[in-house]
Amino acid sequence: MTDDKASTANPECNHAGAAKFRALAFAQGLAKGSLRHVLAIQMIRMVLRLGFMAAAAVAAGKLVMNDPVDPRLISLGLVLLAGAAIAGFLADRAQAAAEADVAIRLREAASARLNAMPPRQLKQLPVGTLVVAMQRHPEAMASLVIGHRAASTMMAAGPLAAAAALFLVSWQAAILVICLTPVMILFFALVGDIIRSRATAQERAFGRLAGQFADRIRALPTILANHALSSEEAKLSGRLEAYARETMGVLGIAFINAGIIDFFASLSIALLAVFLGLGHLKLMMIPGFSNLELWQSLFILMIAPDYFAPFRRFSEQYHAKAEGLAAAAALDRLLDVDAPERLAIAALDRPLPPLPEHGLVAVVGPSGCGKSTLLRQLAGIEQAASAQPELTDVVWVSTDSHIPEGTLAEAIAWKLPPQPREKLREAANAVGLLDDALLPGGLDALLTRGGGNLSGGQKLRISVARALLAGRTVIADEPTAKLDAGTAGLVRKALVGMAHSHLVVVATHDRELAAASRVTIDLSNDGTFEVAA
């Protein structure tokens, strides 16, 4: 086939019967190995940090008390500090690489899912929302299954390790910091529902913005022609402001959550410092805080911030969880869109009679009777319920034929063997493209990718000119529907001319074109074929 619509079709794929995509479960499966690697490095960093703080507390306590300090202790502390720094660098690097890998593989899986969709189903998807989803959602989900998951695991392991270290010096101090943990968890639960709803609203706002922007880009020539640029700009600005408000709402709640963690962390450290200070000054005898050596008190004060650090890191990642869940739900909605129900027309369930090797075959009938569906089945774009004549090496002609970026000549010759310029000129002239005032420059007229600066009728005529040069079987969907009488006559003449040497199958409401056909397939008579040669 010379058209991308037909060349990408895969009649073996039946998306309608495929399993649900389940983006989140798929991303979690991709993340398993990488997540274990990231967690292992973060655990090593945590152990090295605790070891360094123990060595630093002992050394500082001895220095303050004018006791001799073993040089090996200082060397050990420096080695542990360097090791913790290196482990931190490696952990961050491993996490970034893991998130990038998950995002890439998730995007590839989503692309494969889209490629497996039947064209009719794919056309249901909102283009702007789909483009944004393929760019944003994989990264958001990767942050959820790697960054957020690592933070939640370390929120369990980190405080336990810090509390265990505190127990070795003062179990009372350990109990004090542990008692504040349920309060923070309660705030996490309260804030979680709010931030999830805000993230969902943010995702919807961005989807609306992307969809509206894509629609306005496609309709830009019409907007400019009707002098409506300022009004459309105001509408887009309103969508952008709505998205900005939702985004700031998500970030605001995330900052409040982080502030709560900092408050309780600061409160606990302040209480520890007061109790330890009173104990050292002999002003108050508190079990677990009195009669401690200086290095023990320093160790407690150094370890306490590390007890709360995983909670702070988790709070920073909380918005990533909300955005990732919203992205997973949005991606599932896009990729699991129900396929349009196959037209319940009896004629489509019956095999066609043998088609001639050449000649014009007209498929006629009222709108909605299945003409376009039958053409897609003949082209192999959609599966047929019954065996239909196998048409191979066909040229697809319709308003959605592919138009590459470049000149008019390049668009006509797309995916064809090299053509002499004179042949291109004859094909373009045969369908009135060189006389079109809206295509200045003749064969050198510049076209945007996808034919964004062309009308539906111009795209159709380019595909007809391409078919004239291809010398293959032609399948044309309403080839004269969007044309004025004069231009429609040129296209009609071109199709009839091709039918002298090749098979040309058209779905049409054009009575003149149907009258010129060698075979007519009428789908209007109670779902039966009426073939008149």
Side-chain angles (χ1 to χ4, degrees):
M1 297 184 183
T2 64
D3 191 283
D4 67 330
K5 177 177 178 180
S7 63
T8 59
N10 183 4
E12 299 297 324
C13 293
N14 182 9
H15 178 79
K20 293 293 185 180
F21 186 66
R22 297 289 184 265
L24 182 56
F26 183 75
Q28 289 171 337
L30 295 176
K32 283 184 179 178
S34 300
L35 181 59
R36 285 194 293 266
H37 179 61
V38 171
L39 288 173
I41 301 176
Q42 291 188 354
M43 293 288 188
I44 294 172
R45 176 177 59 178
M46 177 186 65
V47 172
L48 292 174
R49 280 179 56 84
L50 292 175
F52 162 72
M53 283 184 282
V58 172
K62 289 182 177 294
L63 286 173
V64 172
M65 301 304 295
N66 290 322
D67 292 334
V69 180
D70 189 342
R72 290 175 296 180
L73 181 62
I74 296 177
S75 299
L76 176 62
L78 294 175
V79 170
L80 292 171
L81 177 61
I86 294 173
F89 169 75
L90 294 177
D92 291 342
R93 183 175 179 179
Q95 179 174 324
E99 290 182 1
D101 180 65
V102 169
I104 290 172
R105 294 168 66 185
L106 184 59
R107 188 175 289 113
E108 290 174 349
S111 298
R113 181 80 169 189
L114 291 172
N115 289 334
M117 286 185 180
R120 288 178 65 213
Q121 185 174 357
L122 193 60
K123 289 177 70 174
Q124 282 190 314
L125 302 179
V127 176
T129 303
L130 180 60
V131 170
V132 171
M134 294 294 286
Q135 292 296 322
R136 284 168 45 90
H137 292 350
E139 276 77 9
M141 293 176 61
S143 296
L144 168 62
V145 298
I146 296 292
H148 177 269
R149 186 73 181 116
S152 62
T153 302
M154 292 305 297
M155 188 179 68
L160 285 176
L166 289 177
F167 262 103
L168 296 177
V169 176
S170 171
W171 65 267
Q172 292 90 344
I175 293 297
L176 176 62
V177 294
I178 290 174
C179 285
L180 292 174
T181 303
V183 180
M184 288 185 291
I185 294 176
L186 176 62
F187 274 101
F188 279 144
L190 294 175
V191 171
D193 290 336
I194 300 174
I195 200 170
R196 275 193 295 271
S197 62
R198 285 297 185 92
T200 301
Q202 176 198 26
E203 187 57 45
R204 285 198 300 266
F206 196 86
R208 288 192 293 267
L209 173 63
Q212 186 174 17
F213 183 76
D215 289 340
R216 296 311 182 268
I217 289 296
R218 286 197 298 269
L220 189 57
T222 303
I223 293 172
L224 292 174
N226 289 278
H227 306 287
L229 186 61
S230 58
S231 62
E232 294 302 325
E233 182 181 2
K235 293 177 183 178
L236 283 173
S237 296
R239 294 284 193 192
L240 183 59
E241 290 174 2
Y243 171 66
R245 285 196 303 271
E246 297 297 344
T247 300
M248 292 307 299
V250 172
L251 294 177
I253 296 173
F255 291 148
I256 291 173
N257 197 29
I260 292 171
I261 300 299
D262 287 336
F263 170 77
F264 284 108
S266 301
L267 177 61
S268 64
I269 294 170
L271 290 174
L272 288 173
V274 170
F275 291 160
L276 291 170
L278 292 175
H280 278 284
L281 294 174
K282 308 298 183 183
L283 296 177
M284 183 180 295
M285 301 303 292
I286 304 174
F289 295 95
S290 302
N291 300 320
L292 294 177
E293 294 186 23
L294 182 59
W295 74 267
Q296 292 176 312
S297 297
L298 292 174
F299 181 71
I300 292 172
L301 292 176
M302 293 176 70
I303 290 292
D306 261 42
Y307 179 88
F308 294 100
F311 290 100
R312 185 181 299 109
R313 177 60 178 161
F314 180 77
S315 69
E316 293 171 355
Q317 289 286 322
Y318 216 66
H319 72 283
K321 176 183 178 181
E323 291 178 355
L325 291 175
L331 200 58
D332 284 343
R333 286 194 299 271
L334 280 172
L335 299 183
D336 285 331
V337 60
D338 292 332
E341 293 184 6
R342 195 174 63 84
L343 294 176
I345 298 177
L348 296 182
D349 294 331
R350 303 179 184 180
L352 283 174
L355 296 178
E357 293 185 2
H358 62 84
L360 180 64
V361 177
V363 182
V364 299
S367 298
C369 70
K371 298 189 301 297
S372 297
T373 301
L374 179 59
L375 292 193
R376 286 193 292 268
Q377 292 175 356
L378 292 175
I381 299 174
E382 289 188 17
Q383 281 187 301
S386 60
Q388 300 291 12
E390 183 177 352
L391 301 182
T392 59
D393 197 21
V394 307
V395 181
W396 181 272
V397 173
S398 75
T399 56
D400 58 3
S401 295
H402 178 67
I403 306 296
E405 182 178 8
T407 64
L408 176 61
E410 291 169 342
I412 295 174
W414 181 70
K415 285 198 174 182
L416 296 179
Q419 301 288 326
R421 191 169 179 85
E422 188 57 36
K423 288 284 188 182
L424 294 173
R425 188 180 303 279
E426 289 177 5
N429 193 52
V431 291
L433 287 170
L434 299 184
D435 297 328
D436 195 327
L438 299 178
L439 281 176
L443 291 176
D444 296 320
L446 296 179
L447 311 181
T448 60
R449 185 178 181 181
N453 59 336
L454 299 175
S455 66
Q458 289 170 325
K459 292 180 184 179
L460 190 146
R461 284 185 287 154
I462 289 175
S463 64
V464 173
R466 189 183 296 160
L468 283 169
L469 297 174
R472 302 170 185 169
T473 297
V474 178
I475 297 180
D477 191 6
E478 298 289 357
T480 59
K482 295 181 179 294
L483 306 176
D484 59 74
T487 307
L490 292 176
V491 170
R492 197 181 298 120
K493 180 180 178 181
L495 293 171
V496 172
M498 285 186 282
H500 291 313
S501 56
H502 298 87
L503 176 62
V504 179
V505 183
V506 299
T508 184
H509 288 96
D510 186 338
R511 293 183 179 180
E512 292 185 47
L513 183 59
S517 65
R518 176 179 176 183
V519 175
T520 301
I521 300 175
D522 192 344
L523 300 183
S524 62
N525 185 17
D526 195 23
T528 60
F529 290 132
E530 291 186 1
V531 182

